Amino acid sequence: MAETSITINDVVFVVDCGKAKETSYDALNNTPCLLPSWISKAAARQRRGRAGRVQSGECYHLYPRCVYDAFSDYQLPELLRTPLQSLCLQIKSLQLGSISEFLSRALQAPEPLSVQNAVEYLKIIGALDENENLTLLGRNLSVLPVEPKLGKMLILGAIFNCLDPIMTVVAGLSARDPFMMPFDKKELAESAKAQFAARNYSDHLALVRAFEGWKDAERRQSSYEYCWRNFLSAQTLRAIDSLRKQFFFLLQDTGLVDHNPENCNRLSHDEHLIRAVICAGLFPGICSVVNKEKSVALKTMEDGQVLLYSNSVNAAAPKIPYPWLVFNEKVKVNSVFLRDSTGVSDSVLLLFGGNISRGGLDGHLEFFMKPALADTYISLRRELEELIQNKLLDPKHDIQLHSDKLLSTVRLLVSEDQCDGRFVYGRRLPAPSKKATTEMPPGTLLKGGGGGDNAKTQLQTLLVRAGHEAPIYKTKQLKNNQFRSTVIFNGLDFMGQPFGSKKLAEKDAAGEALLWLRGENHSTSRDIDHMSVLLKKSKKKKQSTSIRGDKWG
């Protein structure tokens, strides 16, 4: 607050610790960083100026004079602290000559390695050719006011006729995250986001579902209630909606879409194709997934072991049934963290990732398969690139008419991939376990069951959204040092099985309640829709019913 333009009359004391978290760029590891660092002398003067802005005040600097003397005069310019991909693309679009030579004439020139990293990145995504000249894709990217990778995602969304969800993803990544995480209601907020994720292991698809639900609520004039129940920012969703409209007009100017939105959304229902276009845009932001017995290990080529931000839908997943995750951004704090990830299969990565050859994927990732199958992937990839090139050359080119068989083949291939990473050398396929019959495939909404890890959260979310008070848990310690819990809500109480800890006993009781609400127990021959009964607030006082967990085993 002390470094903003806000003046608060009552502030007369400022404590300056001398440090700030500042964005920087590690060119050697090609990683943006957000690390605590010493401030500049200008920042120290700004902090001091906040003390006694309108009356006498005092500022306490928590560092000696010798440390202050070592501060730089001013903060490093942004040119030296951020990746340069967008800047390099603009330099080429303005025909200012060689990128490295132009930037070397800056007042404070960036590191040559930073420039080299940016140029290599633009070559990988296909914006520059080997001679650093703009390609056809690069010329289209230069007119879009977003990062090159997001611009590529927009263009491919228009080409493959799944533009609407892709515009939502790009707008969401360009704006703030609409999912709010209040400190005192973090579990409820995470549960709400998990419902949008629908066990599809994708932050981007969760965003699409949340936005579509908001648009439906707006048509019913209930958008405020929708945002309040689902912990969404209405202001951010409106900003995303505005950006989507701007993107559509810009794509119209390129000729890739016409005035009828339906023509560029014929395949917007195909989740696998949307996942593939997201992969094409975010590559080379890729990490491998290895499911261990009690955890998930993620690794990138540059950083080795990495972690997911806690607000990702994949962060809490005990297993991720995909061999790869594509991510929007990585930031080094104390460790390297990934933001906004989506699970993808081998087939998606081979067909929509980087250039493929018999030497691997862009020299980084290696896949092992039979030569005939390798030739098939290479041939399909070559035809896809020709299709994209033809569409960029002639925006009126109808790919549905001229390349329908190719599209059908690609869609079938990516949808039928079992996501087991069978082409990754040394990857062990998971052996079927006793729980395999109860596990749900990706894309299925999580159902609460007895003792599920999030049974308490699911039950509380369900009750709060139905307008009821939060459940109450009464736990008793038994003679054998075990605990048995009873959950009470809406005039009903459910008793769980005995467990060795209080926490597990409460989860089991919540699981029994969820089973009963969803009609998944068979204690009675009557077919009762308990969920509908719960959602209808009865004004009559209900008779208390006790249901023991041991009746259902």
Side-chain angles (χ1 to χ4, degrees), residues 80-94:
L80 306 181
R81 295 187 289 110
T82 56
L84 305 173
Q85 293 94 325
S86 297
L87 178 61
C88 292
L89 188 65
Q90 291 304 315
I91 290 172
K92 296 307 295 186
S93 69
L94 295 172

Side-chain angles (χ1 to χ4, degrees), residues 411-432:
R411 289 175 63 197
L412 181 65
L413 188 57
V414 298
S415 63
E416 293 297 321
D417 194 309
Q418 297 300 312
C419 305
D420 51 13
R422 63 188 182 278
F423 299 141
V424 182
Y425 180 74
R427 186 179 180 91
R428 296 181 180 179
L429 301 183

Side-chain angles (χ1 to χ4, degrees), residues 468-508:
H468 297 279
E469 293 182 359
I472 299 172
Y473 293 89
K474 292 186 177 179
T475 307
K476 294 182 179 180
Q477 186 171 1
L478 305 179
K479 293 181 179 179
N480 55 358
N481 289 328
Q482 289 195 318
F483 296 86
R484 171 169 273 166
S485 183
T486 301
V487 58
I488 303 170
F489 61 88
N490 200 38
L492 302 171
D493 60 272
F494 297 83
M495 186 180 293
Q497 299 270 15
F499 276 89
S501 72
K502 185 177 178 181
K503 187 176 181 181
L504 289 175
E506 290 178 353
K507 285 182 178 180
D508 189 72

Side-chain angles (χ1 to χ4, degrees), residues 22-23 39-43 72-78 81 108:
E22 186 178 67
T23 302
I39 60 174
S40 64
K41 291 180 180 177
S72 58
D73 291 334
Y74 299 96
Q75 184 186 34
L76 277 176
E78 190 176 352
R81 295 187 289 110
Q108 288 181 275

Side-chain angles (χ1 to χ4, degrees), residues 345-400:
S345 63
D346 288 344
S347 296
V348 167
L349 191 55
L350 284 165
L351 295 175
F352 291 87
N355 296 322
I356 60 173
S357 65
R358 290 193 177 273
L361 191 74
D362 270 354
H364 290 293
L365 306 174
E366 293 183 338
F367 296 83
F368 295 82
M369 62 187 76
K370 294 180 180 179
L373 185 56
D375 290 337
T376 301
Y377 274 107
I378 292 173
S379 176
L380 284 173
R381 179 58 190 265
R382 188 183 303 117
E383 291 186 44
L384 274 175
E385 289 175 350
E386 289 176 1
L387 182 152
I388 294 170
Q389 191 74 5
N390 290 336
K391 182 67 175 179
L392 292 174
L393 282 169
D394 180 14
K396 295 182 180 180
H397 179 76
D398 190 347
I399 64 171
Q400 293 286 117

Side-chain angles (χ1 to χ4, degrees), residues 178-387:
F179 294 99
M180 298 188 295
M181 293 287 174
F183 182 77
D184 57 336
K185 296 181 180 178
K186 189 175 180 182
E187 284 190 2
L188 282 173
E190 288 176 347
S191 178
K193 187 174 182 179
Q195 294 294 327
F196 289 120
R199 289 298 289 266
N200 278 332
Y201 302 91
S202 171
D203 292 300
H204 307 107
L205 293 179
L207 171 64
V208 171
R209 291 191 184 93
F211 179 81
E212 289 175 350
W214 175 73
K215 292 296 288 184
D216 290 339
E218 262 204 333
R219 285 189 282 269
R220 299 192 304 269
Q221 297 183 341
S222 59
S223 59
Y224 176 81
E225 183 182 359
Y226 174 84
C227 291
W228 181 81
R229 287 185 175 180
N230 294 291
F231 298 91
L232 293 167
S233 167
Q235 182 180 1
T236 304
L237 289 170
R238 284 193 292 269
I240 290 174
D241 194 29
S242 175
L243 282 173
R244 279 166 40 91
K245 293 173 182 176
Q246 294 178 42
F247 293 154
F248 189 78
F249 291 140
L250 287 168
L251 289 171
Q252 275 185 329
D253 293 340
T254 65
L256 289 172
V257 298
D258 54 26
H259 296 280
N260 186 2
E262 293 182 3
N263 293 335
C264 53
N265 284 300
R266 285 176 286 191
L267 298 178
S268 290
H269 63 279
D270 190 339
E271 178 200 305
H272 300 286
L273 184 60
I274 296 169
R275 204 180 286 265
V277 173
I278 291 172
C279 174
L282 298 185
F283 189 87
I286 184 83
C287 74
S288 65
V289 179
V290 177
N291 290 306
K292 297 184 178 179
E293 188 175 345
K294 295 183 179 180
S295 62
V296 179
L298 306 175
K299 291 184 179 180
T300 64
M301 291 293 295
E302 302 87 358
D303 312 288
Q305 192 87 15
V306 294
L307 302 171
L308 293 172
Y309 269 98
S310 59
N311 61 354
S312 170
V313 297
N314 293 322
K319 304 288 181 185
I320 299 177
Y322 288 92
W324 310 96
L325 285 180
V326 288
F327 57 87
N328 174 50
E329 184 183 19
K330 64 178 179 180
V331 179
K332 185 176 182 180
V333 189
N334 49 355
S335 300
V336 177
F337 287 87
L338 309 182
R339 282 179 177 156
D340 303 317
S341 58
T342 289
V344 295
S345 63
D346 288 344
S347 296
V348 167
L349 191 55
L350 284 165
L351 295 175
F352 291 87
N355 296 322
I356 60 173
S357 65
R358 290 193 177 273
L361 191 74
D362 270 354
H364 290 293
L365 306 174
E366 293 183 338
F367 296 83
F368 295 82
M369 62 187 76
K370 294 180 180 179
L373 185 56
D375 290 337
T376 301
Y377 274 107
I378 292 173
S379 176
L380 284 173
R381 179 58 190 265
R382 188 183 303 117
E383 291 186 44
L384 274 175
E385 289 175 350
E386 289 176 1
L387 182 152

